[in-house]
Amino acid sequence: SDPRPTQDAKVSDVINFDGKSARVTVEGCINGLPFKVTRIKTASKGSLAFNLDNEDLTRQSIKDTQAIIDERLGISTQILARTIFHGQHAINGLLEATDANLKDELSLLVPLSLWKDAASFARKSHRSHSRRMSELDGMLSVREQDRDALVQRCSAAKQSADAYRQLFETRRKQ
């Protein structure tokens, strides 16, 4: 059987037969900002509260509050369900996934077009940098040859200077 949470789960599914209500609070930080989501469900009604960076963003309806949560946290219930699934049930799920399955899972988090655009940009950038590196390698080779020629000219100039110094010293002693 598939241990993943179902997409059609209802909040009322979490109430115990002996209980009158269920309450869940999730606290954390996203992009350095603290958040707190509290969901309460009784047999007949429910509520949803949302605080982000100590600001109460709860709206009149659960649906409107959920929309604010999705917007401000940049998530959806589908992504949350997948996060919980990957975190609890199949630790190696993504590591062992086929390429197609991995892309399907990642497309829930980031649109596949973004991955394609990033890959295209990386290829273009690599080609451009490779071309520039080849140009610089060529320039470096030319400059190394220039350096070697100057080293030879400098050495020849030193030898010539030494020869003139010896000649000068020899004539001065005469």
Side-chain angles (χ1 to χ4, degrees):
S1 71
D2 190 355
R4 293 180 288 184
T6 60
Q7 296 298 320
D8 62 348
K10 297 176 184 73
V11 176
S12 60
D13 293 343
V14 300
I15 297 178
N16 183 313
F17 290 121
D18 295 329
K20 297 191 186 304
S21 68
R23 177 187 190 107
V24 175
T25 299
V26 176
E27 295 182 59
C29 282
I30 188 161
N31 297 329
L33 300 175
F35 72 89
K36 180 177 178 180
V37 177
T38 301
R39 188 178 300 268
I40 301 170
K41 179 64 181 151
T42 65
S44 62
K45 66 178 192 162
S47 67
L48 179 61
F50 176 52
N51 286 283
L52 178 64
D53 198 23
N54 298 316
E55 179 184 353
D56 187 2
L57 298 174
T58 305
R59 299 297 187 248
Q60 294 242 342
S61 72
I62 292 174
K63 183 179 178 181
D64 290 344
T65 302
Q66 185 64 54
I68 291 293
I69 293 170
D70 292 352
E71 174 190 326
R72 293 294 181 95
L73 298 184
I75 56 173
S76 69
T77 52
Q78 185 181 24
I79 291 174
L80 283 177
R82 304 311 282 168
T83 303
I84 292 166
F85 159 64
H86 289 306
Q88 290 183 351
H89 298 289
I91 292 174
N92 290 331
L94 289 178
L95 296 174
E96 296 172 354
T98 64
D99 187 55
N101 289 345
L102 178 63
K103 286 178 181 176
D104 286 344
E105 292 295 327
L106 291 178
S107 71
L108 295 172
L109 299 173
V110 180
L112 193 54
S113 63
L114 183 64
W115 291 108
K116 289 179 180 177
D117 291 347
S120 176
F121 176 78
R123 279 191 299 278
K124 288 177 186 174
S125 180
H126 179 263
R127 282 192 297 267
S128 171
H129 291 306
S130 291
R131 253 191 321 272
R132 182 67 177 142
M133 193 170 76
S134 292
E135 290 171 10
L136 292 173
D137 279 344
M139 291 169 62
L140 179 63
S141 176
V142 167
R143 296 299 167 238
E144 286 174 340
Q145 290 173 0
D146 290 346
R147 182 203 59 209
D148 292 345
L150 287 171
V151 165
Q152 287 178 354
R153 285 179 58 191
C154 185
S155 177
K158 284 180 183 179
Q159 287 176 356
S160 179
D162 287 343
Y164 280 119
R165 190 175 321 119
Q166 286 178 354
L167 179 63
F168 176 75
E169 292 294 325
T170 305
R171 288 188 181 168
R172 195 171 75 161
K173 289 182 184 179
Q174 292 175 356

